[in-house]
C-alpha cells in the first residue's frame, strides 16, 4: 500500500462532535468557508455552523455563524445555483429537512425553509442529496419512501415518488442528472430511478455477491457528471464498487470483499466505508493514465480511520490512518489538493496534498 | 467538646459545635422540569431509573382510561424522557468536559500501543524463559509517558514578541494544570530511568514550571514575582525597593537564574548617566550576575534561555562546583565592598552570595513553602543527593522547617513517592486526580519495580478476585461508558482487564441503543475487533425485531438474516404470507421486488422466506402466459408450479390458491404440460390439504366456493391426458 506525502496536515480539536462537513462554494474570491454539522453532547444541541478557513500553518477555523436545529444531522449537502448564492441542505435523524441560505456578505444565515419531521418520512431521513444547481433534493429513509423536494423561491414543495411501505430500506441517494438519481440500501443493493418513468426503480442492481458482501449496507454513492452511467458506491466491510448501467449484473469491485474472483482487488479497510467521492485532484502523471475504460480515482473514508484514494487496477494510496473513525470528508472543488475531514474524536483535520 | 455529638437545636444557634460542617446549599433541592410533551391529563404514574452517566430515565404514563377514549392512534400511551443531572466530573480538576474528553481520546492510542507491546513481550519472554522487563520495556514506558504528558498541555510559552520588554520578568505561559504536574512527577521518578542521576535538577525544572500551582494554597516565589512585576512599572529606582531584592533572592533560591540575571540588570547603576559615579557598585552587581550565570549544573543539557554550565560527569562537576564556590568566597571577601556606597545594594548582594554558598537561614527566609526550600537545598547545599531514602530524609527536614497545615495535593504526592509507598501514591492519585490518572499511571508505577508490580497485579479477594490495577481500569472504563461520545473507547480498557473485562464489555454492548443504525454498526465493529460474534448476533436480532415492530419489514428481515435467527424469521415469514396473500397475487410486484431481491436466491438463512422468491417467479411466468399464448412460457410456468409445490417451505395455505391460479395451465390446449408423476404429486398435495381441513387449527383461505372441486377436475383431466400421451 502506498502512502502519499502530504504537504500539510493538521488536526483541529473541536469541543463538539462533527457529524458532517462540507466546503462551501466560494462567496468571494478570497474567502474560504467550511460548513460543519456539529453536535454538542453537553448541551444536547445540534447546529449547522459556518467557519472561515484560514489555510495558514496551522490552519485556523473561525466560527462565523451558526443555526440551531432540534435533532442531529444525518446528511449535509451544499450546492450553488449559477451566479447565485450557495445553499445548504441538511436532513435530521428526527426526519426534518432544512434548507439554509447564507448571506454572501457576512455568511450569517439569512433565511431558512424547512419541512417538519413525520412529513417526509416516518423516522429518520437516512440520506439527502441536493442537485448540482440546488433546485431539488431527493430524500430517502429506512421507511422505504423516496421523496423529491423542489427548492423554489416561495419555499419547499415535496412529492412522494415511491413508498415501499417498509419492505425496502434506503440508506443512500445521489443525483445523476436533473431527472435521474440512484439510491442504495441493505444487502449492497443499488437502484436507478428516472422521473420520466415513475412507479418504481428503472433498474435494480443486485450483484452476484458472495455471502459476505451481500450482508453489507451501502452508505454513500457518487456519480461523476461526465460518466453518468457509472454509479460508485461504498459500504460495509470496506466494500467500494462501481455499477455500470451498461453491464448491470457485474459490479467492478475496487476494494473490499470480492464478487467471487480471487486476487483481483485488494482491501484497504475492513469496516464501514462512510463516504465515497470521486477524487478531482490529479497530478500530471495521473492524468495521462486515465482511460475511459477505467473507473476514475475515488477517495474514501472509513470507520477504521482510513482516508485513501483508490484507483482501479492500482495500489490504493493511503492519505491518513487514524486511531478513530473518519465520519465524513470533502474535497475542495476550487483547490482539489485540499481535503477536510471529520474525526469521531471531536476534531476536524485539514490536509493539503503535494 | 471533642467526641460529643451535637443534638439538634430547633433554634439553630448551636451550629459551631457541629462536628461535621454541612453546607446548607447541598440541602436545597434542585428542581428539574420534564418536557414530556404529553397532553394532560397525565396519570400520576412515573417510572424512574438510571440511564447512562448522570442521566435519569423517567417514563411518564398516561392513565389507561384516557388512552382508551382517545381515538387518534398517533397519541401514545406515554413517553420516556431522559433528564440530565448536573455536576459532572467531580473527581477531576478538569471541569471542562470537552477538554477532559480530548485527554481521554488522546490517551487511547498510547495506552493500546503499550498494551500491545506488553503482550508481545510477554509472549516473547515465555519463549525465552527470561524476565519480561528489560531495557526495551523501560524505553516503551518512557515513550508512553511522554505521549500522555504531551496531551496534558504544552510546556512551551506562548509566542513572544520580537522586541523583548525588559520589564517583563515572568514569561506568559498557559495556565499549568496540576494533572500535568503530577504526571511529570511520576515520569521523573518512575519512567525516566536514564535520567535518574539528575533527579534533583529535574525537580528544579519541575518547580519552575509548576510553582504557580502552589500559589492557590500557600504563598510562593512565583506569587512574589507576580506581585513584584505588577509593581515594577511604577518604580523609579529599583535598587531602593526591598521588594526588588526580595524577588531576586527568592528567585535565586529556587534556581531561576535567568530571571535573577534579568532583574539584576535592571539595577540603576547600569544606566548610562549613572555609570560614572557608580562604577564600583555596577562592577559588583555585574560580578554577581556573571557568577550566577556560570553556576555549575549536574545535568546533560539546559533548555534555551536557561543559565548555568552543564556537567555530565560527576567528578567534572565537583571540580567546577568547588571552583565556583571559591570564586564566590573570594568575591565575598573582596575589598570593593567597602567602596560601594549604596547600602541596599551592598547588603543584598552579600545576601545573594550567602544563598549561593548555601546558608540555611538565608535560604529558608528566601523561600515560602517546603518544596521550594527542598529545591534550594538541592541547588546550594547538597547537589549530590541521590537515592530515595536520602531524598526522603531531606524532604522531612525541609517540612519541619516550613510546616504547612493542609498540604497541597502535589506535596502529598511528592511525599508518597519519596516514601516509596506505592499505596500512598495510588491513593493520592485517585483522590486528587481521578480515575483517568490512576488508570494510566499504574503503568509507570510498575515499570521496573517488582514490589509495586506484585502489589498492583496480585488478585485480591476483597476486590472480587481482581487486581488493584484491573479494578482501577474497570472504574475508568465505567466513567468512559457513561458518556455518549466516549463509550466506544471503553472497550480498549476493558479488554486489557483479564478477569472481568470481557464480561463487562458484553454488558456495555448490550446496553447500547442498537436500534439506531449508527450505534448498531459501531457495535458490530467492536464485536468484530474482539471476536464477540454472539454479542453482535444478538445486537442484530434486537435491531431486526425493532425494525420489524416499527413496520420496516425489509430492514427487520435483513438484520435477522445477518444474525442467522431462523426462529424469528419463520415467525416473520408467517406474518408476511398473510400479507402476501392479499397483495402480491394481484399486479404490483414493485413494492415486493426490493425485499425479494434482498432475500437472494441462494440457500441462505431466509427461513420460509425464499418461498417469496419462487412465488414471484411463478407469478411472473403465469402473467406472461396470460398475455399471449406461448407454449414455452406455459411450460416454464408449469415447472415453476411443480418446484413450488415440491418445496417444503411453501406454506400449506398457498397450495389451493396456487393450483387455482394455474387452472389455465392444467387445462392447457394442445398437449398436457404436466406428466403423470407431476400430476400425481399435485393430486397428493390436494389430498393432504383435504385431510388437513378436518383438523381444528386449519385456516381457511378466502377462495371461491367451487375452487377445490374445479382444481380436482382439472387435475383428473390432466392425468388422463398425460397417461394417454405416455
Amino acid at each position: 500500500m502506498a502512502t502519499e506525502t502530504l504537504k500539510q496536515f493538521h488536526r483541529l480539536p473541536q469541543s463538539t462532535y462533527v457529524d458532517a462537513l462540507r466546503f462551501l462554494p466560494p462567496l468571494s474570491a478570497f474567502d474560504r468557508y467550511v460548513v460543519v454539522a456539529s453536535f454538542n453532547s453537553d448541551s444536547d444541541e445540534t447546529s449547522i455552523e459556518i467557519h472561515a478557513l484560514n489555510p495558514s500553518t496551522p490552519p485556523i477555523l473561525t466560527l462565523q455563524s451558526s443555526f440551531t436545529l432540534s435533532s442531529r444531522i444525518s446528511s449535509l449537502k451544499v450546492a450553488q445555483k449559477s451566479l447565485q448564492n450557495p445553499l445548504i441542505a441538511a436532513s435530521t435523524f428526527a426526519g426534518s429537512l432544512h434548507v439554509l441560505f447564507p448571506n454572501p456578505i457576512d455568511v450569517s444565515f439569512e433565511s431558512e425553509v424547512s419541512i417538519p419531521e413525520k412529513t417526509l418520512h416516518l423516522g429518520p431521513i437516512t440520506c439527502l442529496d441536493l442537485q448540482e444547481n440546488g433546485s431539488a433534493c431527493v430524500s430517502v429513509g429506512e421507511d422505504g419512501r423516496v421523496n423529491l423536494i423542489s427548492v423554489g423561491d416561495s419555499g419547499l414543495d415535496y412529492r412522494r415518488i415511491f413508498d415501499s411501505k417498509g419492505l425496502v430500506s434506503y440508506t443512500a441517494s445521489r443525483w445523476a442528472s436533473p431527472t435521474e438519481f440512484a439510491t442504495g440500501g441493505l444487502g449492497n443493493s443499488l437502484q436507478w430511478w428516472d422521473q420520466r418513468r415513475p412507479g418504481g426503480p428503472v433498474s435494480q442492481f443486485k450483484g452476484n455477491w458472495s455471502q459476505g458482501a451481500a450482508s453489507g449496507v451501502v452508505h454513500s454513492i457518487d456519480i461523476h457528471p461526465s460518466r453518468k452511467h457509472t454509479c460508485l458506491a461504498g459500504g460495509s466491510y470496506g466494500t467500494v464498487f462501481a455499477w455500470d448501467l451498461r453491464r448491470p449484473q457485474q459490479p467492478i469491485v475496487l476494494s473490499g470483499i470480492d464478487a467471487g474472483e480471487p486476487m483481483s482487488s485488494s482491501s484497504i479497510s475492513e469496516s464501514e466505508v462512510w463516504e465515497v467521492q470521486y477524487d478531482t485532484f490529479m497530478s500530471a502523471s495521473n492524468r495521462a493514465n486515465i482511460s475511459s475504460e477505467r473507473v476514475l480515482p475515488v477517495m474514501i473514508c472509513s470507520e477504521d480511520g482510513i482516508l485513501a484514494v483508490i484507483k482501479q487496477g492500482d495500489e490504493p494510496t493511503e492519505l491518513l490512518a487514524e486511531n478513530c473513525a473518519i465520519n465524513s470528508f470533502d474535497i475542495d472543488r476550487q483547490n482539489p489538493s485540499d481535503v477536510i475531514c471529520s474525526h469521531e474524536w471531536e476534531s476536524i483535520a485539514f490536509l493539503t496534498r503535494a | 467538646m471533642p467526641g460529643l455529638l451535637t443534638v439538634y437545636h430547633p433554634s439553630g444557634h448551636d451550629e459551631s459545635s457541629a462536628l461535621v460542617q454541612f453546607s446548607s446549599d447541598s440541602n436545597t433541592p434542585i428542581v428539574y422540569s420534564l418536557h414530556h410533551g404529553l397532553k394532560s391529563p397525565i396519570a400520576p404514574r412515573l417510572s424512574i431509573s438510571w440511564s447512562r452517566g448522570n442521566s435519569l430515565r423517567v417514563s411518564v404514563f398516561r392513565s389507561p382510561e384516557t388512552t382508551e377514549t382517545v381515538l387518534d392512534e398517533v397519541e401514545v400511551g406515554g413517553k420516556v424522557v431522559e433528564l440530565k443531572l448536573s455536576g459532572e466530573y467531580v473527581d477531576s480538576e478538569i471541569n471542562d468536559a470537552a477538554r477532559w474528553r480530548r485527554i481521554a481520546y488522546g490517551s487511547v492510542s498510547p495506552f493500546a500501543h503499550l498494551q500491545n507491546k506488553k503482550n508481545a513481550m510477554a509472549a516473547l519472554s515465555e519463549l525465552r524463559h527470561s524476565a519480561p522487563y528489560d531495557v526495551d520495556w523501560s524505553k516503551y514506558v518512557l515513550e508512553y509517558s511522554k505521549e500522555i504528558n504531551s496531551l496534558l498541555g504544552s510546556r512551551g510559552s506562548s509566542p513572544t514578541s520580537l522586541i523583548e520588554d525588559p520589564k517583563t520578568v515572568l514569561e506568559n505561559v498557559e495556565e499549568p494544570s496540576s494533572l500535568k504536574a503530577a504526571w511529570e512527577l511520576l515520569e521523573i521518578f518512575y519512567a525516566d530511568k536514564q535520567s535518574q542521576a539528575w533527579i534533583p535538577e529535574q525537580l528544579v525544572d519541575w518547580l519552575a514550571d509548576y510553582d504557580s500551582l502552589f500559589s492557590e494554597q500557600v504563598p510562593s516565589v512565583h506569587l512574589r514575582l507576580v506581585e513584584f512585576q505588577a509593581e515594577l512599572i511604577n518604580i523609579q529606582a529599583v535598587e531602593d525597593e526591598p521588594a526588588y531584592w526580595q524577588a531576586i533572592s527568592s528567585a535565586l533560591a529556587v534556581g531561576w537564574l535567568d530571571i535573577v540575571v534579568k532583574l539584576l540588570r535592571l539595577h540603576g547603576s547600569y544606566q548610562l548617566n549613572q555609570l560614572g559615579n557608580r562604577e564600583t557598585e555596577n562592577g559588583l552587581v555585574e560580578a554577581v550576575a556573571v557568577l550566577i550565570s556560570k553556576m555549575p549544573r549536574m545535568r546533560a543539557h539546559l533548555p534555551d534561555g536557561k543559565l548555568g554550565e552543564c556537567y555530565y560527569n560527576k567528578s567534572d562537576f565537583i571540580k567546577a562546583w568547588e571552583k565556583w564556590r571559591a570564586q564566590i568566597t573570594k568575591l565575598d571577601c573582596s575589598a570593593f565592598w567597602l567602596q560601594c556606597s549604596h547600602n541596599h545594594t551592598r547588603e543584598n548582594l552579600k545576601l545573594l552570595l550567602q544563598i549561593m554558598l548555601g546558608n540555611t537561614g538565608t535560604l529558608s527566609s528566601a523561600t515560602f513553602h517546603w518544596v521550594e526550600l527542598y529545591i534550594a537545598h538541592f541547588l546550594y547545599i547538597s547537589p549530590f543527593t541521590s537515592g530515595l531514602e536520602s531524598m526522603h530524609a531531606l524532604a522531612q527536614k525541609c517540612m519541619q522547617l516550613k510546616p504547612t497545615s493542609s498540604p497541597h495535593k502535589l506535596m502529598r504526592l511528592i511525599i508518597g513517592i519519596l516514601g516509596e509507598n506505592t499505596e500512598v501514591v495510588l491513593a493520592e492519585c485517585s483522590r486528587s486526580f481521578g480515575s483517568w490518572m490512576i488508570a494510566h499511571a499504574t503503568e509507570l508505577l510498575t515499570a521496573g519495580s517488582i514490589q509495586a508490580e506484585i502489589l498492583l497485579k496480585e488478585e485480591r479477594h476483597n476486590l472480587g478476585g481482581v487486581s488493584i490495577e484491573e479494578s482501577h481500569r474497570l472504574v475508568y472504563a465505567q466513567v468512559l461508558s457513561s458518556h455518549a461520545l466516549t463509550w466506544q473507547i471503553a472497550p480498549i480498557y476493558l479488554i486489557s482487564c483479564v478477569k472481568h473485562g470481557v464480561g463487562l464489555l458484553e454488558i456495555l454492548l448490550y446496553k447500547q441503543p442498537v436500534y439506531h443504525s449508527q450505534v448498531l454498526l459501531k457495535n458490530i465493529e467492536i464485536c468484530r475487533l474482539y471476536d464477540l460474534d454472539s454479542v453482535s448476533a444478538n445486537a442484530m436480532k434486537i435491531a431486526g425485531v425493532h425494525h420489524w415492530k416499527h413496520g420496516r419489514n425489509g430492514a427487520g428481515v435483513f438484520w435477522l438474516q445477518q444474525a442467522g435467527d431462523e426462529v424469528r424469521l419463520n415467525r416473520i415469514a408467517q406474518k408476511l404470507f398473510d400479507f402476501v396473500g392479499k397483495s402480491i397475487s394481484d399486479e404490483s410486484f414493485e413494492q415486493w421486488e426490493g425485499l425479494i431481491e434482498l432475500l437472494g436466491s441462494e440457500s441462505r438463512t431466509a427461513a420460509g422466506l425464499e418461498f417469496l422468491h419462487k412465488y414471484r417467479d411463478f407469478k411472473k411466468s403465469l402473467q406472461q402466459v396470460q398475455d399471449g399464448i406461448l407454449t414455452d412460457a406455459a411450460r416454464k410456468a408449469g415447472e415453476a408450479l411443480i418446484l413450488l409445490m415440491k418445496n417444503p417451505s411453501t406454506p400449506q395455505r398457498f397450495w389451493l390458491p396456487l393450483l387455482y391460479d394455474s387452472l389455465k395451465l392444467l387445462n392447457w390446449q394442445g398437449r398436457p404440460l404436466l406428466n403423470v408423476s407431476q400430476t400425481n404429486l399435485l393430486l397428493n398435495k390436494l389430498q393432504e390439504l383435504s385431510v388437513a381441513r378436518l383438523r381444528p387449527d386449519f385456516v381457511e383461505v378466502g377462495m371461491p366456493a367451487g375452487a377445490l372441486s374445479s382444481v380436482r377436475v382439472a387435475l383428473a383431466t390432466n392425468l388422463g391426458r398425460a397417461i394417454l400421451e405416455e
Side-chain angles (χ1 to χ4, degrees):
Chain A
M1 188 184 311
T3 49
E4 190 169 326
T5 45
L6 298 175
K7 207 194 264 175
Q8 195 187 10
F9 167 63
H10 287 283
R11 278 190 212 103
L12 311 167
Q14 308 290 303
S15 53
T16 53
Y17 190 93
V18 179
D19 282 315
L21 80 183
R22 302 275 168 238
F23 279 107
L24 196 64
L27 296 162
S28 71
F30 307 108
D31 302 318
R32 290 171 84 184
Y33 295 105
V34 177
V35 191
V36 174
S38 85
F39 169 66
N40 185 328
S41 69
D42 301 319
S43 61
D44 269 337
E45 236 171 48
T46 300
S47 53
I48 293 180
E49 299 169 347
I50 297 185
H51 293 259
L53 172 70
N54 179 1
S56 55
T57 321
I60 302 160
L61 285 175
T62 325
L63 180 65
Q64 303 290 309
S65 55
S66 98
F67 183 86
T68 308
L69 298 173
S70 57
S71 161
R72 279 180 80 165
I73 288 162
S74 56
S75 191
L76 180 75
K77 296 286 156 67
V78 293
Q80 188 169 29
K81 283 187 184 177
S82 54
L83 301 173
Q84 280 186 33
N85 298 331
L87 62 154
I88 302 163
S91 61
T92 67
F93 281 103
S96 59
L97 183 142
H98 306 261
V99 179
L100 302 162
F101 302 90
N103 182 321
I105 313 290
D106 59 355
V107 292
S108 64
F109 289 110
E110 216 162 41
S111 59
E112 183 243 10
V113 281
S114 65
I115 299 176
E117 50 203 69
K118 291 178 187 156
T119 314
L120 293 172
H121 295 272
L122 295 169
I125 297 178
T126 46
C127 190
L128 163 109
D129 193 38
L130 191 58
Q131 257 183 11
E132 198 95 336
N133 62 9
S135 62
C137 292
V138 55
S139 75
V140 294
E142 285 175 338
D143 60 348
R145 291 180 184 174
V146 180
N147 290 298
L148 279 184
I149 301 102
S150 62
V151 185
D153 295 329
S154 54
L156 302 177
D157 269 330
Y158 75 94
R159 187 158 59 90
R160 184 164 306 148
I161 62 162
F162 188 71
D163 188 354
S164 82
K165 299 204 165 63
L167 289 172
V168 184
S169 290
Y170 300 108
T171 53
S173 64
R174 175 78 191 179
W175 286 101
S177 72
T179 53
E180 294 156 294
F181 61 89
T183 59
L186 306 175
N188 270 347
S189 62
L190 291 173
Q191 299 83 25
W192 189 266
W193 307 72
D194 192 333
Q195 287 186 66
R196 293 164 296 194
R197 288 163 66 190
V202 180
S203 181
Q204 292 242 18
F205 165 71
K206 180 79 171 108
N208 192 16
W209 293 113
S210 60
Q211 182 83 16
S215 51
V217 182
V218 172
H219 295 306
S220 173
I221 302 175
D222 197 12
I223 294 166
H224 198 276
S226 73
R227 296 185 182 184
K228 287 179 179 166
H229 49 81
T230 308
C231 182
L232 174 76
S236 315
Y237 312 109
T239 312
V240 180
F241 65 96
W243 175 39
D244 192 331
L245 283 172
R246 297 167 301 184
R247 286 182 286 274
Q249 290 314 311
Q250 199 51 53
I252 305 160
V253 178
L254 299 172
S255 169
I257 295 173
D258 201 17
E261 301 164 52
M263 303 299 291
S264 69
S265 65
S266 50
S267 183
I268 189 158
S269 161
E270 285 175 42
S271 49
E272 315 296 323
V273 171
W274 290 123
E275 187 155 5
V276 290
Q277 272 188 40
Y278 280 111
D279 187 11
T280 40
F281 176 68
M282 270 175 264
S283 58
S285 61
N286 277 345
R287 209 182 294 271
N289 285 334
I290 296 297
S291 93
S292 59
E293 285 302 303
R294 290 201 171 162
V295 180
L296 295 167
V298 178
M299 188 180 283
I300 64 146
C301 71
S302 78
E303 173 70 29
D304 48 7
I306 303 288
L307 183 75
V309 177
I310 301 172
K311 294 177 197 122
Q312 193 185 355
D314 209 348
E315 284 280 286
T317 313
E318 196 175 270
L319 297 175
L320 293 179
E322 299 287 85
N323 293 316
C324 65
I326 300 178
N327 293 327
S328 114
F329 71 91
D330 198 27
I331 303 167
D332 191 352
R333 293 209 183 176
Q334 271 65 42
N335 307 288
S337 63
D338 292 358
V339 181
I340 198 158
C341 62
S342 71
H343 286 82
E344 182 185 24
W345 289 350
E346 295 173 75
S347 71
I348 290 175
F350 177 78
L351 51 106
T352 306
R353 289 177 278 175
Chain B
M1 206 181 291
L4 191 75
L5 285 169
T6 47
V7 186
Y8 174 65
H9 289 267
S11 58
H13 286 307
D14 207 13
E15 280 174 8
S16 58
S17 63
L19 287 177
V20 181
Q21 292 285 326
F22 274 110
S23 83
S24 53
D25 299 352
S26 60
N27 290 339
T28 324
I30 304 163
V31 180
Y32 294 93
S33 48
L34 279 178
H35 302 283
H36 51 71
L38 291 175
K39 289 184 198 131
S40 55
I42 297 154
R45 288 169 66 208
L46 290 175
S47 156
I48 303 176
S49 61
W50 279 109
S51 177
R52 196 148 54 180
N54 265 1
S55 298
L56 280 181
R57 184 176 290 146
V58 185
S59 315
V60 188
F61 298 99
R62 295 178 64 87
S63 60
E65 307 88 64
T66 50
T67 38
E68 277 166 24
T69 54
V70 175
L71 291 170
D72 188 3
E73 279 182 39
V74 183
E75 190 66 41
V76 283
K79 195 155 185 192
V80 182
V81 195
E82 290 225 334
L83 186 65
K84 203 181 232 173
L85 306 178
S86 53
E88 284 187 54
Y89 306 115
V90 278
D91 60 340
S92 168
E93 67 152 9
I94 295 168
N95 41 24
D96 175 5
R99 213 189 132 215
W100 185 88
R101 288 199 302 274
R102 208 169 295 158
I103 292 174
Y105 296 143
S107 43
V108 168
S109 99
F111 180 82
H113 198 63
L114 192 73
Q115 298 305 317
N116 287 346
K117 283 262 164 48
K118 187 187 272 180
N119 295 338
M121 286 185 70
L124 201 67
S125 72
E126 236 167 67
L127 282 176
R128 293 191 306 197
H129 304 287
S130 62
Y133 292 107
D134 53 17
V135 187
D136 280 351
W137 179 248
S138 65
K139 200 177 78 196
Y140 297 142
V141 172
L142 184 60
E143 231 167 68
Y144 160 80
S145 174
K146 295 251 189 250
E147 271 179 69
I148 298 269
N149 193 355
S150 67
L151 284 174
L152 301 174
S154 59
R155 210 180 195 180
S157 54
S158 54
T160 45
S161 61
L162 286 173
I163 305 157
E164 209 178 333
D165 180 6
K167 297 220 164 179
T168 314
V169 182
L170 284 173
E171 282 178 79
N172 277 321
V173 286
E174 71 175 273
E175 192 78 10
S177 75
S178 55
L179 192 61
K180 187 172 167 70
W183 187 271
E184 279 191 15
L185 271 182
L186 297 180
E187 183 175 300
I188 290 168
F189 283 99
Y190 300 109
D192 202 351
K193 303 279 178 209
Q194 294 190 321
S195 314
Q196 295 253 293
W198 302 303
I199 284 184
E201 280 284 347
Q202 283 181 291
L203 288 176
V204 172
D205 290 353
W206 180 85
L207 187 74
D209 286 335
Y210 302 111
D211 195 36
S212 58
L213 292 170
F214 294 104
S215 313
E216 298 159 10
Q217 280 189 14
V218 285
S220 68
V221 173
H222 183 265
L223 194 64
R224 171 174 271 183
L225 284 172
V226 169
E227 282 167 3
F228 173 68
Q229 172 150 337
E231 283 172 36
L232 191 58
I233 318 157
N234 306 320
I235 299 174
Q236 285 296 321
V238 280
E239 63 273 22
D240 295 334
E241 295 292 324
Y244 169 72
W245 293 107
Q246 278 166 10
I248 291 180
S249 57
S250 289
L252 180 65
V254 291
W256 303 349
L257 307 183
D258 47 335
I259 293 177
V260 175
V261 171
K262 198 170 179 183
L263 280 172
L264 280 176
R265 302 249 156 94
L266 291 176
H267 195 271
S269 63
Y270 280 98
Q271 283 170 17
L272 288 173
N273 56 350
Q274 305 266 337
L275 220 54
N277 47 10
R278 294 172 78 175
E279 208 172 348
T280 322
E281 190 185 341
N282 182 251
L284 284 169
V285 176
E286 185 58 26
V288 173
V290 168
L291 270 178
I292 288 170
S293 59
K294 296 265 188 230
M295 178 175 175
R297 315 280 297 259
M298 198 165 97
R299 58 192 293 160
H301 62 91
L302 272 167
D304 286 344
K306 301 285 173 199
L307 300 174
E309 294 194 337
C310 298
Y311 293 91
Y312 189 81
N313 192 305
K314 196 172 174 182
S315 58
D316 289 349
F317 173 77
I318 292 171
K319 262 184 235 155
W321 170 258
E322 268 158 13
K323 196 175 146 204
W324 183 67
R325 283 175 69 105
Q327 282 170 337
I328 296 169
T329 327
K330 197 175 150 199
L331 182 65
D332 200 21
C333 307
S334 156
F336 287 114
W337 294 109
L338 298 172
Q339 294 170 30
C340 178
S341 55
H342 197 274
N343 261 344
H344 272 296
T345 306
R346 189 179 61 232
E347 277 163 26
N348 285 300
L349 283 180
K350 283 239 174 193
L351 206 66
L352 294 185
L353 295 183
Q354 284 307 307
I355 288 177
M356 287 193 275
L357 288 171
N359 183 316
T360 324
T362 332
L363 284 178
S364 178
S365 59
T367 53
F368 293 87
H369 53 82
W370 73 260
V371 183
E372 285 171 357
L373 182 61
Y374 188 49
I375 297 301
H377 265 89
F378 281 141
L379 282 165
Y380 303 108
I381 299 174
S382 41
F384 307 116
T385 315
S386 63
L388 284 174
E389 210 170 315
S390 54
M391 285 175 84
H392 190 229
L394 183 58
Q396 294 288 355
K397 196 174 135 197
C398 292
M399 265 191 293
Q400 275 165 14
L401 288 167
K402 291 218 177 276
T404 40
S405 52
S406 58
H408 191 270
K409 52 189 173 185
L410 288 170
M411 294 181 178
R412 294 198 304 259
L413 184 63
I414 294 172
I415 289 300
I417 294 171
L418 293 175
E420 291 184 82
N421 196 333
T422 315
E423 273 155 314
V424 173
V425 176
L426 279 175
E428 285 304 335
C429 282
S430 93
R431 179 174 149 196
S432 315
F433 306 102
S435 55
W436 174 87
M437 178 71 169
I438 195 150
H440 290 87
T442 49
E443 291 298 343
L444 302 189
L445 294 178
T446 51
S449 161
I450 292 168
Q451 197 191 349
E453 192 165 344
I454 292 169
L455 178 80
L456 281 163
K457 302 211 167 154
E458 186 188 26
E459 290 179 0
R460 273 152 208 273
H461 190 63
N462 58 355
L463 290 176
V466 300
S467 63
I468 293 182
E469 182 185 56
E470 179 164 342
S471 86
H472 285 305
R473 276 186 198 159
L474 292 176
V475 170
Y476 179 59
Q478 207 65 36
V479 172
L480 289 175
S481 320
S482 71
H483 195 279
L485 296 185
T486 54
W487 77 267
Q488 12 92 7
I489 54 180
I492 290 153
Y493 292 90
L494 287 173
I495 218 72
S496 72
C497 299
V498 196
K499 256 270 134 78
H500 291 323
V502 177
L504 285 170
L505 177 55
E506 287 183 13
I507 292 172
L508 171 66
L509 292 172
Y510 280 134
K511 272 174 140 181
Q512 299 309 315
V514 288
Y515 40 85
H516 294 303
S517 307
Q518 311 291 321
V519 180
L520 174 65
L521 291 170
K522 188 92 211 171
N523 228 331
I524 295 173
E525 171 77 4
I526 292 171
C527 292
R528 186 179 69 85
L529 289 175
Y530 300 115
D531 296 323
L532 298 169
D533 293 343
S534 65
V535 181
S536 74
N538 282 334
M540 290 191 251
K541 279 181 202 172
I542 295 167
V545 170
H546 186 271
H547 282 304
W548 173 258
K549 274 198 324 206
H550 286 80
R552 296 183 290 272
N553 300 349
V557 168
F558 176 76
W559 287 116
L560 288 174
Q561 241 182 341
Q562 303 307 315
D565 188 347
E566 293 264 0
V567 181
R568 281 183 190 83
L569 275 175
N570 263 325
R571 293 278 293 276
I572 287 181
Q574 296 313 314
K575 283 251 167 84
L576 268 181
F577 294 152
D578 289 347
F579 195 49
V580 170
K582 286 171 205 130
S583 73
I584 206 173
S585 51
D586 308 324
E587 72 299 336
S588 66
F589 272 114
E590 267 83 15
Q591 287 179 350
W592 289 90
E593 201 70 50
L595 179 65
I596 289 163
E597 283 297 333
L598 186 66
L599 293 170
S601 51
E602 323 101 87
S603 55
R604 303 184 41 203
T605 321
L609 285 171
E610 73 255 25
F611 157 72
L612 283 177
H613 199 270
K614 297 201 180 75
Y615 189 52
R616 194 262 321 251
D617 289 348
F618 167 68
K619 279 279 174 181
K620 264 193 178 164
S621 48
L622 205 61
Q623 227 158 20
Q624 281 174 346
V625 173
Q626 258 138 18
D627 291 345
I629 305 157
L630 292 156
T631 316
D632 205 31
R635 180 169 301 282
K636 267 192 191 145
E639 276 163 18
L641 174 69
I642 294 298
L643 266 178
L644 266 176
M645 294 304 279
K646 259 189 188 165
N647 195 322
S649 70
T650 305
Q652 205 175 41
R653 74 179 99 151
F654 277 93
W655 292 357
L656 189 57
L658 273 172
L659 290 170
Y660 189 68
D661 280 350
S662 34
L663 270 181
K664 202 172 186 178
L665 297 176
L666 300 177
N667 296 324
W668 194 252
Q669 302 298 318
R671 48 188 293 261
L673 292 172
L674 306 172
N675 61 27
V676 179
S677 64
Q678 284 171 332
T679 320
N680 271 330
L681 173 89
L682 296 184
L683 275 169
N684 283 339
K685 288 277 179 188
L686 209 60
Q687 186 59 31
E688 215 177 298
L689 196 64
S690 310
V691 175
R693 283 183 112 163
L694 303 173
R695 289 214 302 268
D697 60 340
F698 183 77
V699 189
E700 195 74 51
V701 278
M703 293 297 292
L708 185 65
S709 53
S710 54
V711 169
R712 191 168 280 148
V713 170
L715 278 175
T717 321
N718 194 70
L719 182 64
R721 287 165 68 199
I723 290 171
L724 280 178
E725 182 127 318
E726 281 171 21

